[in-house]
Amino acid sequence: MKPKLKAISRFQPEPRETILEIRNLRKVFNINNAFVTVLDEIDFSVKGGEMICIFGRSGCGKSTLLNILGGFIAPSSGAILLNGKGVSKPGPDRCVVFQEDTLFPWLTVKENIAFGLKGRTTEKKASEEEIERFLSLVGLSEFRDYLPREISGGMKQRVALARVLILKPKVLLMDEPFASLDAQTREEMQNLLLSLWEKLSHTVLFVTHDVNEAITLADRILVMGKDPGRIRDDISVDLLRPRKREASEFLLFSRELYARLRD
Amino acid sequence: MKKRTVQTDNSEFQTPRSAFRILPWIIPLGFILLWFMVSETGMIPTYLMPHPAEIGKTSYNYILGNPGEAPYAGRFLDDAVASLMRVAMGFALAVILGLPLGIISGRISVVQRLMGTTINGLRAVPGISWLPLAMIWFGIGIKTTVFLVALAAFFPIYLNAAAGARQINPLLLQAGAMMGVKRLRGTFAILLPGAMPHIMTGLRLGLGISWAYLVLGELTGVPNGLGALIMDARMLGRIDIIVLGIIIIAVIGRVGDQLLKTSLRVCFKSARRMT
């Protein structure tokens, strides 16, 4: 189950193209007739194949940001450009892995993974092969006929990952997807995510409040501050992969990140 | 790859299979036994409650006897088919109207607001008060019965479908939207399966109440049907036929409920896997 990563995994010498641009995003909520600015001056761009962690304390608006990117809520002002085109509604080009279990409880593991492919005009045999491929990519081939209630929380998140990766989204949005898992399973899932990223090279925006998770995964960490939610820092993580938590560079990095979280 | 069997229930707390099988029959059989004993001792006069053996004789005559041989002989098939047809038509009408309306009002608050007061007001009106009106509108006969059955079955079907559609986890709909599911497919692939446990409850309650209103509708002097049979027997003082009619309705009602449950489970994954 444990995926092995190559020593030097993602050194891509060729310049990567910007695929997602967030321009001056602002979100104001009206709570009991008081206007609360949750997000302000959110401005960044994402290159194809990048793994970005949006990192901050709870309540800083990072989930709201992800929901706006997913198209579930509209921003008060600002624009989101995907490959230069504005987006406003949810769609399979920006797939989401939620923190909660959102599998369809009446479908088996395999049927859940196949769900998004249905209604697409693909050949039946080809999509059948795709489903098999993704079942094995997340290591659930043996559990294909199980129902969500019959598998563990970690397995459910693997299904949630597979059912969106199979749609080949331009950007994968992940909203603290492993937060409700136990520490060991969480690490397993992080490794799985990295190994899938390795194979499929999709672009990931990953929301987390866990320092170690951010450093383990990210090419870049966007540190968000509170009241209003702003991006305070944009840190490149240039540690070699696979990253070991015991390594001194890792510890240095995490100390630094903790410090930034405090001020 | 075959599915492994998964024990979802806590089997160690379950009674053995054979005991589990006979469990539903204990109360009816016990009741019949008690009835038998009371009748044997003559504690209850036969004009209040006939002896079970007599009911047995009557039912044989009613179900298998040659028509014309005796009063009520061989009428069973005719009565049962007439009643079943009425229930089926009334119930189908209630499903056709109640299910879509319920789902829509469960999802769209404007519709809910528009319909809620009216539906809950009408729901409070007892079926028997509709009877005189229905007889004036539709006359004596099948239309009145079908109207009453449809009216009665509509409310549980509508209300449960609305509750089912309302309580569905909004994240499931969001998940569908981000996977590119459009409204029509979302309705059939997410909304309906998600609401299935409630829908099923509504349909079962609706079918159950259909039988109650069937008897009410058939009291109006239709020539055949199980309700007509009971009413007719009351006029003639045939208490054995009344009791037999009640037992037959109970049996058909139970079988009908089981059939409904089974056919939903055969037709829908969601009914099979979530109820």
Side-chain angles (χ1 to χ4, degrees), chain B residues 21 47 66 100 122 161 163 221 237 240 246 250:
Chain B
R21 278 261 170 86
Y47 68 85
N66 291 318
L122 289 178
D240 54 334
I246 289 172

Side-chain angles (χ1 to χ4, degrees), chain A residues 67-84:
Chain A
N67 275 325
I68 293 174
L69 296 181
F72 299 124
I73 39 183
S76 304
S77 66
I80 301 158
L81 302 175
L82 188 63
N83 287 336

Side-chain angles (χ1 to χ4, degrees), chain A residues 19-224:
Chain A
I19 69 159
L20 182 68
E21 277 177 90
I22 288 93
R23 284 201 194 139
N24 210 4
L25 213 62
R26 190 177 143 83
K27 179 69 193 175
V28 182
F29 280 120
N30 183 351
I31 301 165
N32 299 330
N33 288 324
F35 291 98
V36 182
T37 307
V38 184
L39 293 172
D40 200 12
E41 294 172 19
I42 303 288
D43 211 276
F44 63 94
S45 55
V46 180
K47 292 198 173 78
E50 240 182 338
M51 171 91 75
I52 295 189
C53 279
I54 299 170
F55 171 76
R57 291 191 197 183
S58 46
C60 70
K62 52 194 193 304
S63 285
T64 308
L65 175 58
L66 210 76
N67 275 325
I68 293 174
L69 296 181
F72 299 124
I73 39 183
S76 304
S77 66
I80 301 158
L81 302 175
L82 188 63
N83 287 336
K85 279 193 194 132
V87 290
S88 55
K89 278 189 189 147
D93 49 359
R94 287 152 293 129
C95 279
V96 185
V97 178
F98 299 90
Q99 180 178 347
E100 299 87 352
D101 166 25
T102 55
L103 301 180
F104 300 116
W106 56 89
L107 298 180
T108 61
V109 165
K110 185 181 165 186
E111 288 163 345
N112 263 294
I113 293 176
F115 187 87
L117 278 189
K118 282 200 182 141
R120 288 193 173 190
T121 50
T122 37
E123 210 186 314
K124 188 151 190 183
K125 199 171 158 237
S127 69
E128 196 65 33
E129 276 167 18
E130 273 298 272
I131 295 161
E132 290 304 321
R133 184 169 152 241
F134 277 88
L135 267 170
S136 77
L137 271 177
V138 295
L140 288 176
S141 296
E142 281 180 48
F143 293 89
R144 71 184 66 214
D145 293 326
Y146 281 58
L147 291 173
R149 64 160 181 268
E150 296 165 340
I151 58 177
S152 70
M155 286 167 151
K156 280 183 199 170
Q157 287 307 65
R158 284 194 231 169
V159 180
L161 203 53
R163 77 167 174 184
V164 294
L165 285 179
I166 201 171
L167 302 177
K168 312 252 178 342
K170 296 197 176 93
V171 182
L172 179 62
L173 305 169
M174 306 185 77
D175 187 6
E176 304 201 35
F178 312 143
S180 54
L181 304 176
D182 63 274
Q184 206 180 343
T185 313
R186 192 181 315 150
E187 218 177 301
E188 253 175 55
M189 291 299 294
Q190 289 162 359
N191 290 337
L192 175 69
L193 177 65
L194 286 171
S195 85
L196 289 172
W197 182 53
E198 188 82 354
K199 286 172 194 145
L200 308 169
S201 23
H202 43 273
T203 312
V204 186
L205 271 173
F206 191 106
V207 163
T208 182
H209 62 257
D210 180 334
V211 171
N212 288 329
E213 187 164 68
I215 302 173
T216 308
L217 298 176
D219 286 328
R220 247 169 89 197
I221 301 177
L222 304 177
V223 183
M224 283 186 68

Side-chain angles (χ1 to χ4, degrees), chain A residues 91-92 96 106 111 142 149, chain B residues 4 178 181 185 189 193 269 273:
Chain A
V96 185
W106 56 89
E111 288 163 345
E142 281 180 48
R149 64 160 181 268
Chain B
R4 305 177 195 164
M178 67 93 180
V181 172
R185 184 171 172 231
K269 276 179 198 159
R273 292 168 179 172

